[in-house]
Amino acid sequence: MNGSESRQDDGPEGGTNAEPRKIMGEPTGIGRFGDFGGLFVPETLVPALQELDAAFHEAWADRSFRDELDDLLREYAGRPSPLTECQRLGEQLGIRLFLKREDLNHTGSHKINNVLGQALLAKRMGKSRLLAETGAGQHGVATATAAALLDMECLVYMGEVDMARQELNVFRMRLLGAEVTPAVSGSRTLKDAVNEAMRDWVSTVEYSHYCLGSVMGPHPYPYMVREFHRVIGDEAAAQFAERVGGSDANCAELSGLPDVVVACVGGGSNAAGIFSGFAEHPSVELIGVEPAGGAAIGNGVPGIVHGMLSYLKQDEFGQVQEAESISAGLDYPGVGPEHSHLSDIGRARYESVTDDEVIDAFVLLSRTEGIIPALESAHAIAWVAREHEQLKGRSVIVNLSGRGDKDVAQMMDIMGSTLDGHTSAGERPADHSSADANTTGERK
Amino acid sequence: MNALNITDGGGSSSGLSLSVALGSHIDAGGKCFVPYLTGGLPGWQTGVAAAAEAGAQAVEIGIPFSDPVMDGPVIQASSQMALDGGATPVSILDEARSIDVGIPLAVMTYANLVYRFGYERFAHALVSSGISGAILPDIPLEEVGPWADAADGAGVETVMLAAPTADDDRLTRVVERARGFVYTVGLLGITGERESLAATAKVIARRVKALTDKPVLVGVGVSTPAQAVEVCEVADGVVVGSAIVRRIIETGSQEAGGELVAEFVTALARG
Ligand SMILES: Cc1ncc(COP(=O)(O)O)c(C=O)c1O
């Protein structure tokens, strides 16, 4: 579509002579990352997606659009986000640990990067209404925020189950002037919210823009959303090089590159954003962390849902299976198609952690660094904590995709409100603890 | 995956073709009525027989999918009922073999069930179950190649959807690729009943008719015999799903669906 096959992803930053990116560049054909991706949508939506593809490419190559977005990201969202070195936790785990602080963005997560980009684009395309799906509510809050800022109408679909576990974010969205509609079909979580948003869009495509919240869905979303999050990886790479010093790319010590980059993966947008800053450097290990109960790459096989061909948790007949995770934002049975590709070609590795490991990591980061992570982001911390032996002596960047304020009520239910400051997470009531949870050694 | 025994010959309706059956009815001056019935509901085959008995020119059989993005509340609910009752693509295709109604059948389902089954294997399974056509609403022109190759090879007619959002260039390519008939989407939206016929329905039907001699049937948002008659001032026929499925679910009777089919058929014959 749109003859975009040979277009280079250089954008204003890259200059016109920039080499095309060999990895995490433009998709080929009709939104393909290797075998994955595509445009599996009802006929009604195809022209709108083609129009969006063309509009995005045009805007992304337009200096004034990029300047406007950069201004918003800086003056409104608070970018650049810091790269914080975790002295205490790093020492405890025997690694150099850095956090890319997306939790410090306005609205509390990385989601705002993509939403500001899409909202500006929608406005430029003459759309007056933003549609969104949300799991944890972070993408919904970010979309409601952008809609308020840019004077647009906003409707957010949210699974009924998620509305209950993320009550505060439901209120936030409404406070911001958005309408929140429960998705009451199927598992009543994120995948069903996506279905509802797509159904709405089929009916209102003339004046609505579907502001999809991750690197998933039909082309051009996986590509476009990753580009809007590329800023995470670009900033992190520059910050790390500056912090650690050295610019000798041939010497590991002085390469200015981290050894490992870790991010949680639901649809995969925060991971795609930070990976994109390092993917072309083969020495940097890329680790995506899926929830054990929703590991699309870990436990799925290729399938087609929500417009894309990608790894998918499904039964033998192709019925989509429900994901089950402590974090609403990762409760998704699929994954963005580029991650399926990165996994297949071995450029990134996808691992999973259990809910119990996540609960421990949530407490661990809070107590060692004074940073309460989102439950989603705690998945990445949990993997580092569990695998610290194999990471010994190495430098690790974790994308801290969001802050944990939204999860505090849920954690209070799980851990009990009488939580004792001196009790280790391993001593929680039996039904929520696990034998292997306490892998990170002594805790105060 | 459970193996469906694929044998030659297979279903008793095999050999029928959507394009021939609909085309000859249209040539004789008739308007086509094609009901959608959710496969896998208790006694669903009775519903197909009742629809044929009531004068339908073909029947569309839904194979339920967990995430039906083109479907509204009624078909979502009926799909869920069938899934809860244990229906699978394999069980439905197996049960379809016993249907002998003398009119062509088409399945309506979503990409993933077919992809999982394997495109070629699915196409052959349709043939061996006596099913002539397939409607896959989340496989548009851009992605239809691999499936269309398998379907053409097996002799399955791939019905394409034409939507009001397409320009004439796109509509031309859609109708060219369409086999059996052109499923013309009457409005911007998903399946479900509407109080009145959308203004877009006759407009898109007219645009599609101008581009093709293939049968042009309008579906999505046609819910009453009066609406069917109205849109058939332009179109060659209609596909009606939610209104019939709702009748079946509310009455708990597949035969009641046939009675509603008869009302549509009578109204269309009267004009
Ligand atoms: C803080 C946070 N991190 C991660 C995610 C998961 O999304 P993705 O995998 O697209 O980064 C969410 C989704 O709600 C989130 O709120």
Side-chain angles (χ1 to χ4, degrees), chain B residues 3 9 40-41 66 89 111 169 196 206 236 245:
Chain B
L41 291 176
S66 54
D169 171 58
S196 59
R206 195 169 289 120
D236 299 319
V245 171

Side-chain angles (χ1 to χ4, degrees), chain A residues 12 59 61-71 120 124:
Chain A
D62 176 354
R63 165 62 66 190
S64 71
F65 179 84
R66 297 286 282 258
D67 285 349
E68 195 180 358
L69 178 57
D70 287 349
D71 265 3
L120 277 185
R124 188 180 163 109

Side-chain angles (χ1 to χ4, degrees), chain B residues 10 30 37 46-47 81 83 167 200 208 211 224:
Chain B
L37 301 171
T46 322
M81 281 170 67
L83 289 173
D167 60 20
T200 45
V208 177
L211 295 171
T224 65

Side-chain angles (χ1 to χ4, degrees), chain A residues 30 32 38-44 46-47 50 191 195 199 202-203 206 303-304 314-320, chain B residues 1 64-71 76 83 88 112-113 115-116 137-138 140 142-143 161 163 165 170 188-189:
Chain A
I30 300 162
R32 287 300 196 282
L39 189 72
F40 295 90
V41 293
E43 169 64 21
T44 307
V46 174
Q50 290 173 335
K191 94 174 165 70
N195 290 338
R199 290 181 184 122
V202 170
S203 313
E206 287 170 316
I304 298 167
Q314 54 184 312
D315 73 10
E316 61 182 312
F317 300 107
Q319 307 295 358
V320 180
Chain B
M1 188 177 291
F65 178 51
S66 54
D67 295 81
V69 290
M70 249 318 267
D71 287 308
Q76 280 178 47
L83 289 173
T88 71
N112 197 46
L113 300 188
Y115 181 78
R116 189 86 169 103
D138 56 346
E142 282 70 12
E143 300 287 356
L161 277 73
T165 47
R170 184 174 179 82
L188 294 185

Side-chain angles (χ1 to χ4, degrees), chain A residues 109-111 136 138 214 264-270 329-330 374 376 401-402:
Chain A
S109 79
H110 69 293
K111 299 281 181 189
Q138 290 304 93
S214 191
C264 67
V265 174
S269 65
N270 85 87
L330 303 184
E376 291 79 15
S401 56

Side-chain angles (χ1 to χ4, degrees), chain B residues 212-231:
Chain B
T212 185
D213 293 330
K214 292 170 185 170
V216 174
L217 274 60
V218 172
V220 182
V222 181
S223 354
T224 65
Q227 291 170 6
V229 168
E230 192 184 345
V231 80

